[in-house]
Amino acid sequence: VQFPSPVIDFARNSGRVKSVKLLKSPIKITITHGFSMTFLNAAFLSASAVKIDTPAALERIAEELDNRPQPPVKLLVSMGTCGIAAGTTPVLKAIYQEIAERRLENAIEVSEVGCMGLCYAEPVVMFVERSTGRRVIYGEVTPQQVPAILAAGIDGVAPGTRTLERNWYYPEFEEPAPGELQARIVLRNTGRLNPEKIDEYIAAGGYRALAKALTTMTSQEVIDLISASGLRGRGGGGFPTGRKWQFAADQKSEEKFIICNADEGDPGAFMDRAVLEGDPHTVLEAMAIGGYAIGAHTGVIYIRAEYPLAVKRLDIAISQAKERGLLGKNIFGSGFDFNIEIKFGAGAFVCGEETALIHSIEGKRGEPTVKPPFPAVEGLWKKPSVVNNVETYACIGAIVRKGAEWFRSIGTAGSPGTKVFALAGKISKVGLAEVPMGTTLRQIIYEIGDGIKNGRKFKAVQTGGPSGGCITAANLDLPIDYEALKKIGSMMGSGGMIVMDEDDCMVNIAKFFLEFTLDESCGKCTPCRIGNRRMYEMLDEITSGRGTVETIEKLKMLSATIKDTALCGLGQTAPNPVLSTLANFEEEYLAHVRESRCPAGVCAKLIHFEISDKCVGCGLCLHHCPVNCITGERRARHVIDQSRCIKCGVCFQTCRFHAVEKH
């Protein structure tokens, strides 16, 4: 593409370049008439694609990018995995086509961003007025709605569309805004910036924390800052991050490693994926800071291969950072070298445990080992290694830029900062929420998540994934932090929250999570390999009506034994769902074994369906029954053959007259 001469002259007059070329871009730019804002922006981005060798150069480029002429309105299009799966790609295509046809290039800039956290309403697009921050958010957008949406713009609402309420705000602030529950530290750029354009990250303050650490702080000062902030590992254990970094820094070794655990395996958890897809440079910058702090020159991101979009955007981000000199040799002229490589995992849940993860990187079986020695002393290739998860790293840059006291001002004394939760299950608004530590479950579920679907009654929420426990309505007002959850038999975990309503059987829920950990066990130690299988068999007996009170007592005893004797955290916490459901819902267990009854009507072998006198003989249940066990004449009451019924519940779900009863 040949740029018009005014654009070339403008770039040359900046005094920083002699020529301008259009860089490779996923967006096709078509020149329709001599000069427009789009081409001017492209010239700026091309002009800034040079090595950044000093903090002053970073500031100069950030200022130029921030001050360049831009369209007054930015249109954010959610292009995370959830959005793409919901159909955002054809919506995006329609947006580009409509902008070209209406010649709106100077009025609207389209930005393909990561997940905005509004997963329940995908596909999502959001207008943002640059001068005021005013916005309009549309959910469940279709390509057919795009012309009306662009016609309405920032000043109106398109007819026949769904606009979203103010339960999520544009992430301008890294602390709670007045009247808002949420804060944006980890997700400060996710859903706001194009993750495939490093210039947007730089313009938003990106890599300034790295520049500050490398040029104004010693390695020990960086560690002291992280320690003073009180940041705890967000992967589940809550171990103080600064202390872990100090252990590694104290080791005398010429080779050390910084490792990012991106092997997100909890059912219902998608926080790390959202960060990697929407803001990969935040993680790269933090890993470089960590490398400088402990004396490591190599970083490894261990990510599951089932995250192809996150892998793609990490690859792009690493290449861009190297091209700008923000990774590689002599970063910011400090003499510090740092490179990052990606290692794929095969989706083994046990590889979320740090020693199993390290073995997998080395090409061995993903099995944990007894600690000590801890990885900070003897980790990858027997060298000192720090392993933190994605969310932990996403906090580092903000702490370095804004200080330990600022971070401690958010959250609780023992658990400073924010926590990202993935809301899933029977909640009305599935998505991501980032809240200060100490926010109550009631606020998260009812104010951010908008309560339980279909007006059903809340029953429990599982936090911490398969390693966590069920929290009941009695603890909805409990301030959420590491210690509070431990006291009630649960744990923070990585941040998955699976919400359950009155139609869920807690015995069956415990069985579901135990089946998951049983499948994911590496099998190295007997308590986990054999003990969890025996526990699963006992739960299967209970849900099948073959259990006894003695079965429940054996379940309690075996759970305690496994917690005390399993090798790693996976095995030690595997009984948690069983123990927490027994503690809070023992009456459901007793109903299964004493009355052969599932109170929630979930366990198929303990329920049966009958058709009542309300039946009008419409035949809907008869036609949908997969085993043809329903008979009856039209306009006459139908009958279920109990000997052939497989308890699938299709008749119960399809009957419009509530004539099918579940017992």
Side-chain angles (χ1 to χ4, degrees):
V1 175
Q2 179 65 48
F3 279 109
S5 57
V7 177
I8 296 175
D9 292 339
F10 194 100
R12 283 176 173 162
N13 289 338
S14 69
R16 295 182 53 251
V17 293
K18 294 181 180 179
S19 62
V20 178
K21 65 179 180 179
L22 180 65
L23 298 179
K24 291 181 180 179
S25 171
I27 301 173
K28 183 184 292 184
I29 298 177
T30 304
I31 297 179
T32 55
H33 46 282
F35 185 87
S36 82
M37 201 78 71
T38 300
F39 311 135
L40 193 58
N41 280 336
F44 262 108
L45 295 178
S46 298
S48 63
V50 296
K51 291 276 187 180
I52 300 173
D53 52 4
T54 64
L58 179 70
E59 292 290 342
R60 184 173 65 249
I61 290 175
E63 184 178 356
E64 290 177 3
L65 290 167
D66 193 48
N67 292 332
R68 72 186 187 275
Q70 301 176 81
V73 174
K74 193 171 185 178
L75 180 58
L76 308 180
V77 183
S78 180
M79 290 295 288
T81 292
C82 51
I84 294 171
T88 309
T89 302
V91 171
L92 181 67
K93 182 178 179 181
I95 288 172
Y96 282 129
Q97 183 176 345
E98 187 71 13
I99 285 177
E101 290 177 358
R102 295 167 61 93
R103 294 188 174 183
L104 295 174
E105 295 93 340
N106 288 342
I108 299 175
E109 177 190 353
V110 179
S111 183
E112 301 173 34
V113 300
C115 176
M116 297 180 185
L118 303 167
C119 308
Y120 69 94
E122 294 286 5
V124 175
V125 301
M126 176 165 57
F127 284 102
V128 179
E129 188 174 50
R130 279 195 162 95
S131 60
T132 64
R134 187 162 56 101
R135 65 203 182 284
V136 179
I137 312 174
Y138 291 94
E140 298 175 1
V141 179
T142 66
Q144 293 74 26
Q145 294 172 341
V146 167
I149 288 174
L150 288 176
I154 190 70
D155 295 316
V157 175
T161 59
R162 178 187 180 187
T163 56
L164 304 184
E165 304 84 0
R166 187 182 170 85
N167 73 329
W168 181 92
Y169 67 99
Y170 185 59
E172 291 277 3
F173 309 101
E174 293 179 354
E175 53 271 326
E180 298 285 357
L181 280 177
Q182 299 200 59
R184 290 290 195 244
I185 297 177
V186 174
L187 302 177
R188 60 189 177 275
N189 296 321
T190 303
R192 177 186 177 188
L193 306 179
N194 188 324
E196 297 185 17
K197 293 184 177 180
I198 191 173
D199 294 284
E200 291 199 19
Y201 183 69
I202 291 173
Y207 288 102
R208 291 182 184 178
L210 178 60
K212 177 181 178 180
L214 294 186
T215 60
T216 68
M217 303 174 72
T218 65
S219 298
Q220 187 59 50
E221 285 174 341
V222 173
I223 295 174
D224 291 343
L225 174 65
I226 301 303
S227 297
S229 74
L231 175 64
R232 299 174 65 171
R234 299 301 197 246
F239 191 82
T241 303
R243 192 185 305 173
K244 183 182 286 189
W245 286 18
Q246 187 69 65
F247 288 155
D250 290 343
Q251 307 308 308
K252 306 300 181 184
S253 175
E254 294 183 0
E255 188 174 21
K256 299 178 182 180
F257 295 96
I258 283 283
I259 301 172
C260 175
N261 180 357
D263 189 64
E264 188 173 46
D266 287 7
F270 46 94
M271 304 78 58
D272 292 353
R273 171 174 61 79
V275 173
L276 294 173
E277 290 177 358
D279 191 20
H281 286 285
T282 286
V283 176
L284 304 186
E285 181 179 11
M287 291 179 69
I289 292 171
Y292 173 69
I294 73 166
H297 299 286
T298 301
V300 181
I301 299 176
Y302 184 86
I303 184 169
R304 52 183 46 224
E306 295 94 332
Y307 281 179
L309 184 59
V311 170
K312 172 195 169 187
R313 290 178 176 169
L314 276 172
D315 277 331
I316 292 172
I318 291 171
S319 297
Q320 290 175 340
K322 286 181 177 178
E323 184 180 79
R324 297 301 181 85
L326 300 170
L327 288 178
K329 291 188 175 296
N330 195 24
I331 303 172
F332 288 116
S334 65
F336 174 66
D337 305 337
F338 192 76
N339 284 294
I340 295 176
E341 58 189 59
I342 297 175
K343 169 68 178 179
F344 297 132
F349 181 67
V350 72
C351 287
E353 197 278 336
E354 56 185 2
T355 59
L357 180 151
I358 287 170
H359 294 152
S360 180
I361 294 175
E362 293 173 340
K364 303 172 185 175
R365 281 179 60 95
E367 295 179 335
T369 51
V370 177
K371 295 181 283 190
F374 292 92
V377 177
E378 187 178 300
L380 182 60
W381 310 119
K382 304 296 184 182
K383 304 296 183 180
S385 306
V386 162
V387 183
N388 289 124
N389 83 324
V390 171
E391 188 178 341
T392 308
Y393 284 121
C395 296
I396 297 296
I399 293 172
V400 173
R401 283 188 294 107
K402 306 190 78 168
E405 290 185 8
W406 164 81
F407 190 75
R408 277 199 173 275
S409 70
I410 303 168
T412 65
S415 302
T418 60
K419 182 73 189 77
V420 182
F421 292 103
L423 306 181
K426 302 291 184 67
I427 197 163
S428 296
K429 293 181 177 178
V430 172
L432 292 176
E434 183 175 0
V435 296
M437 292 282 195
T439 303
T440 67
L441 275 173
R442 188 182 302 278
Q443 290 174 306
I444 296 170
I445 294 171
Y446 285 94
E447 296 187 42
I448 297 175
D450 204 26
I452 311 303
K453 278 183 179 179
N454 305 318
R456 304 299 286 171
K457 184 179 178 182
F458 171 83
K459 189 171 189 177
V461 58
Q462 175 84 7
T463 63
S467 301
C470 289
I471 302 173
T472 66
N475 291 305
L476 275 176
D477 294 311
L478 181 77
I480 298 301
D481 63 18
Y482 291 97
E483 280 69 33
L485 289 177
K486 285 180 182 177
K487 287 179 181 178
I488 60 172
S490 187
M491 62 183 296
M492 183 74 71
S494 59
M497 271 193 184
I498 300 180
V499 179
M500 291 160 275
D501 67 11
E502 57 192 299
D503 296 327
D504 286 303
C505 170
M506 302 313 295
V507 185
N508 195 59
I509 290 292
K511 180 182 172 184
F512 165 78
F513 282 114
L514 193 62
E515 183 178 18
F516 177 84
T517 52
L518 184 62
D519 288 341
E520 295 293 337
S521 171
C522 72
K524 184 175 182 179
C525 71
T526 303
C528 188
R529 183 181 68 252
I530 305 298
N532 282 333
R533 181 163 295 281
R534 297 290 88 83
M535 285 178 64
Y536 178 80
E537 291 169 355
M538 293 178 194
L539 288 172
D540 189 54
E541 289 177 5
I542 294 171
T543 56
S544 301
R546 296 179 284 111
T548 64
V549 175
E550 289 72 23
T551 307
I552 296 176
E553 294 305 316
K554 288 180 181 178
L555 199 58
K556 293 178 181 178
M557 181 178 66
L558 184 55
S559 295
T561 302
I562 294 171
K563 284 182 70 71
D564 291 339
T565 58
L567 174 62
C568 77
L570 175 72
Q572 293 163 6
T573 57
N576 281 354
V578 177
L579 292 171
S580 66
T581 52
L582 275 168
N584 295 307
F585 299 96
E586 188 168 12
E587 70 279 1
E588 287 198 27
Y589 281 83
L590 293 173
H592 281 72
V593 300
R594 287 177 175 172
E595 306 170 35
S596 294
R597 179 178 64 89
C598 176
V602 171
C603 300
K605 294 184 179 180
L606 299 182
I607 61 175
H608 69 278
F609 297 92
E610 292 181 355
I611 300 177
S612 71
D613 292 336
K614 295 179 183 178
C615 178
V616 298
C618 69
L620 197 61
C621 60
L622 184 152
H623 293 301
H624 283 85
C625 179
V627 293
N628 299 317
C629 71
I630 301 176
T631 56
E633 298 295 328
R634 191 160 183 80
R635 294 188 176 87
R637 178 181 172 182
H638 288 32
V639 177
I640 300 174
D641 183 348
Q642 298 295 337
S643 65
R644 295 167 56 198
C645 178
I646 61 172
K647 318 293 180 63
C648 64
V650 170
C651 56
F652 181 81
Q653 296 164 8
T654 57
C655 182
R656 299 174 181 174
F657 303 95
H658 306 289
V660 180
E661 297 178 348
K662 182 165 59 172
H663 301 285

